[in-house]
Amino acid sequence: ARERIAREWETIRHMELVAGIDITADHLIVRTKPLVIEEPERGIGSVDIGPWEIRIPRTGTDVRMLPLDPELRLLQWPHPHIQRSGDVCWGSAKAELTRALTDGDYDIAVQYFLALLHTGLGQRSDWDLHQNILNEIRAVRTRPKRGPHGR
């Protein structure tokens, strides 16, 4: 079991979009490098969503994803598939992810989580909602940052 965990740790650590990983008593925590949603074929263009933290519980499947940008954390939907609380809309992948997490295939799960963070649009029926969310994220990420005195 330890060899498998060590292999998965190394696999995750070397993923291109992973900045770092930590293990606590309760979670595997994966921090991403800054991410960009790019879906030009759907009219979105590029949306900088910055770095994220993925909190994978040691037991269970209650994964949380949170933006590391404090301004994005204020949005009700900091990502089209993720609420402020870190709750994720898994769509049709829920059964596969549940199986991967239950089986301890964390490297497979992390690959999916990274792919989900790169996706701006889901089902066609949700595109208008997702487009509005992405426009709000773009506005937050591109406005000038305030200095310590509000300037």
Side-chain angles (χ1 to χ4, degrees):
R2 279 189 177 191
E3 289 174 11
R4 178 178 178 202
I5 292 170
R7 278 194 311 271
E8 289 197 27
W9 171 281
E10 285 301 308
T11 300
I12 295 168
R13 192 169 71 81
H14 287 98
M15 289 180 184
E16 182 181 352
L17 298 175
V18 171
I21 55 176
D22 291 306
I23 295 179
T24 69
D26 300 322
H27 292 88
L28 168 63
I29 301 170
V30 178
R31 287 176 315 287
T32 73
K33 294 177 181 175
L35 301 173
V36 175
I37 293 174
E38 295 187 62
E39 293 197 26
E41 68 280 357
R42 294 185 177 177
I44 293 175
S46 296
V47 181
D48 172 6
I49 61 169
W52 283 67
E53 181 177 278
I54 305 166
R55 300 181 66 83
I56 305 166
R58 186 175 203 162
T59 58
T61 59
D62 188 23
V63 174
R64 303 278 175 178
M65 294 190 204
L66 299 165
L68 295 180
D69 179 324
E71 291 189 41
L72 278 188
R73 283 189 174 208
L74 297 175
L75 297 176
Q76 182 61 38
W77 290 88
H79 185 281
H81 305 295
I82 303 167
Q83 295 180 32
R84 178 186 300 152
S85 63
D87 286 338
V88 180
C89 176
W90 299 114
S92 60
K94 183 151 181 84
E96 290 295 321
L97 281 171
T98 298
R99 184 176 16 243
L101 292 169
T102 302
D103 292 347
D105 293 327
Y106 297 109
D107 55 338
I108 293 169
V110 169
Q111 287 174 357
Y112 179 82
F113 302 149
L114 293 170
L116 179 123
L117 284 167
H118 269 276
T119 303
L121 298 176
Q123 298 178 36
R124 191 156 189 61
S125 61
D126 295 333
W127 282 13
D128 287 342
L129 170 66
H130 290 182
Q131 182 71 48
N132 291 338
I133 292 168
L134 289 166
N135 287 338
E136 190 174 2
I137 293 166
R138 183 181 286 121
V140 166
R141 294 284 296 165
T142 57
R143 77 174 152 224
K145 299 290 184 196
R146 293 176 160 235
H149 302 289
R151 295 183 205 143

